[in-house]
Amino acid sequence: MEKLALNGGTPVRNNKITYGKQWIDQDDINAVVTTLQSDFLTCGPKITELEQALCTYTGAKYAVAVSNGTAALHLACLAAGVGPGDEVITTPITFAASANCALYCGAKPVFADINPETYNIDPASVREKITERTKAIVAVDFTGQPVEVEEIRKICDEFNLVFIEDAAHSIGSKYNGAQVGSLADMTTFSFHPVKTVTGGEGGAILTSNEEYFKKLSLFRTHGITKVPSEMLEEPEGIWYYEQQELGYNYRITDFQAALITSQMSKLDRFVARRKEIVARYNEAFAELPEIIIQKEISRADTCRHLYIIQLDLEKLTCTRREFFDALAAENVQPQVMYIPVYWFPYYQKLGYERGLCPKAEYVYSRIMCIPLYPKMTDQDVADVIHAVKKVVENYRK
Ligand SMILES: *Cc1c(COP(=O)(O)O)cnc(C)c1O
């Protein structure tokens, strides 16, 4: 057996590989530089171009590009009419922003439990959490796998709720053959560098509902409109603009939009490479009874953003922490995503208690992400598999 690097052995690789990383080529750089040399750094044509590219790719009617994925979630909640006294149901196994967006609107995030095999929000648990105050569901496509869209759609129709899909992980994925972005009432994307398509920072909301689209556009720019036909008062002159709501400055710049549009043209390539790596991991880990891999639902065609390994701790002599540290010492740096949101001190202060979603907490205590991004070489992929096998073999019962 190979000696673990943690115990003084030789690491599987010399340089560290992390869980996610962007892929920027010269043509992406050129797109940014060209925009910097143009007349518009913000509010210009590159933003419209990006919004069109997002609509074309996803099949949604409208796209509103914004400064980041968190702003996208906030605007989606505002457009859905979420306000003080309302409740918004989401999953605890997500980035904090999926729940914070309800708090921004004065509403209460309510956590539904997950399906312990797919790790996505469990529609049955969503049903149990619905009250008269429930206004919306923020369903997160965790790791890129679409949620159970049909079941959630049914619940939303039955209880008159707005279906918001947090698709920060799932751009490029499909459900029943339809692209993510065309499925929910509103779908939000993030273009942070660890996500599949990046602009450094950036986000977008997709919708096919004109009313939501108008609200999203208004809230993105301070609640101010410059369109005469939409004004509530008679314009005094052509300089007149009008604030109608308390909105925000959630605009994205044109040079970020240019970068994202350039990246969008490579999305299918990124998707194909991610799938290739996932297939290799799945095949390798199928031989390891100590590693449980994420279940895929048959209706989903997933572009995986994160690759999760779940440890069957009953078959191992180590803790999750020890496994994590051993893998990191091999220079394959894992990450744990996510800590249940309501465990954070801020949420504890609000009165949320541990134990609220037992399945989510169970899964959290056994998972970690291993590196997955399109720029990984075949050697990188082989190193990750080698390192996982090495650690498993050392801790096998
Ligand atoms: C990244 C992420 C966000 C937030 O996106 P930002 O662009 O970083 O603001 C929201 N939800 C999930 C699930 C994410 O992974």
Side-chain angles (χ1 to χ4, degrees):
M1 197 188 311
E2 289 177 281
K3 190 173 178 182
L4 289 176
L6 195 66
N7 300 331
T10 311
V12 164
R13 4 177 338 120
N14 290 322
N15 60 326
K16 223 170 196 61
I17 183 172
T18 55
Y19 81 93
K21 195 177 173 183
Q22 71 274 15
W23 188 348
I24 302 290
D25 279 331
Q26 191 57 46
D27 60 330
D28 298 313
I29 295 166
N30 294 347
V32 174
V33 172
T34 307
T35 311
L36 288 173
Q37 290 162 334
S38 76
D39 288 337
F40 291 95
L41 297 188
T42 188
C43 304
K46 290 294 167 190
I47 294 168
T48 315
E49 230 174 84
L50 167 61
E51 291 170 340
Q52 278 165 357
L54 291 170
C55 288
T56 304
Y57 192 89
T58 60
K61 242 173 156 170
Y62 308 103
V64 176
V66 294
S67 45
N68 56 66
T70 304
L73 284 165
H74 184 189
L75 292 188
C77 284
L78 286 172
V82 172
D86 291 336
E87 294 177 356
V88 176
I89 298 176
T90 191
T91 169
I93 301 296
T94 185
F95 183 59
S98 315
N100 289 346
C101 58
L103 292 173
Y104 293 157
C105 300
K108 181 184 168 196
V110 171
F111 296 97
D113 213 342
I114 61 165
N115 175 319
E117 292 182 318
T118 65
Y119 313 148
N120 268 334
I121 199 166
D122 177 4
S125 178
V126 171
R127 268 181 191 280
E128 287 169 11
K129 303 281 174 150
I130 290 173
T131 72
E132 279 168 6
R133 297 182 161 182
T134 310
K135 184 85 185 179
I137 299 175
V138 174
V140 181
D141 297 335
F142 179 56
T143 75
Q145 169 157 242
V147 290
E148 304 270 9
V149 173
E150 269 177 31
E151 285 76 3
I152 291 173
R153 175 87 272 162
K154 229 170 108 189
I155 293 170
C156 288
D157 289 348
E158 200 178 321
F159 296 94
N160 195 24
L161 312 176
V162 183
F163 180 4
I164 299 169
E165 189 174 354
D166 180 346
H169 297 183
S170 59
I171 194 166
S173 292
K174 294 179 193 170
Y175 180 91
N176 275 349
Q179 287 287 344
V180 164
S182 68
L183 306 165
D185 294 320
M186 284 178 271
T187 304
T188 63
F189 287 147
S190 162
F191 303 115
H192 182 278
V194 297
K195 311 293 161 76
T196 295
V197 166
T198 188
E201 296 279 357
I205 310 103
L206 288 103
T207 185
S208 291
N209 178 314
E210 192 183 359
E211 198 181 315
Y212 290 147
F213 170 66
K214 284 187 173 165
K215 283 187 182 166
L216 293 166
S217 308
L218 196 63
F219 282 119
R220 170 177 58 182
T221 47
H222 311 278
I224 289 174
T225 182
K226 291 177 181 169
V227 182
S229 63
E230 285 172 9
M231 287 181 188
L232 302 174
E233 305 206 337
E234 192 60 35
E236 256 185 78
I238 55 164
W239 66 83
Y240 184 71
Y241 57 85
E242 188 172 86
Q243 183 180 346
Q244 301 175 338
E245 296 281 353
L246 183 61
Y248 300 83
N249 178 356
Y250 278 167
R251 290 189 303 260
I252 190 170
T253 65
D254 273 62
F255 47 96
Q256 287 170 301
L259 176 53
I260 299 163
T261 306
S262 175
Q263 290 258 300
M264 280 299 293
S265 69
K266 301 162 186 186
L267 178 51
D268 286 336
R269 219 171 74 210
F270 291 163
V271 170
R273 180 61 180 155
R274 282 179 180 272
K275 283 184 176 172
E276 218 170 75
I277 299 169
V278 166
R280 237 176 268 179
Y281 282 163
N282 285 346
E283 194 189 332
F285 303 144
E287 294 168 16
L288 301 176
E290 296 83 358
I291 301 290
I292 300 162
I293 59 178
Q294 189 180 353
K295 185 183 165 188
E296 300 209 5
I297 57 172
S298 60
R299 281 180 278 192
D301 177 2
T302 298
C303 167
R304 205 77 76 77
H305 159 58
L306 300 173
Y307 193 95
I308 301 265
I309 55 172
Q310 186 188 154
L311 307 181
D312 189 341
L313 291 173
E314 282 69 37
K315 297 193 172 93
L316 292 162
T317 60
C318 63
T319 62
R320 189 258 304 266
R321 168 83 187 264
E322 286 162 338
F323 195 102
F324 183 101
D325 291 344
L327 205 51
E330 300 300 332
N331 283 328
V332 170
Q333 182 65 54
Q335 176 61 295
V336 176
M337 293 162 91
Y338 291 97
I339 300 158
V341 172
Y342 61 80
W343 278 18
F344 289 126
Y346 183 78
Y347 279 83
Q348 296 282 303
K349 210 171 63 193
L350 293 178
Y352 293 85
E353 283 175 12
R354 287 189 180 221
L356 189 60
C357 299
K359 290 171 190 160
E361 295 182 16
Y362 174 89
V363 167
Y364 160 69
S365 69
R366 291 164 176 247
I367 55 172
M368 66 190 71
C369 307
I370 58 173
L372 173 62
Y373 51 90
K375 212 179 178 181
M376 287 177 82
T377 63
D378 289 347
Q379 186 58 51
D380 291 335
V381 177
D383 287 346
V384 173
I385 293 170
H386 178 178
V388 171
K389 281 190 174 166
K390 183 175 167 184
V391 174
V392 165
E393 279 163 14
N394 272 273
Y395 290 128
R396 186 169 271 156
K397 259 187 188 161

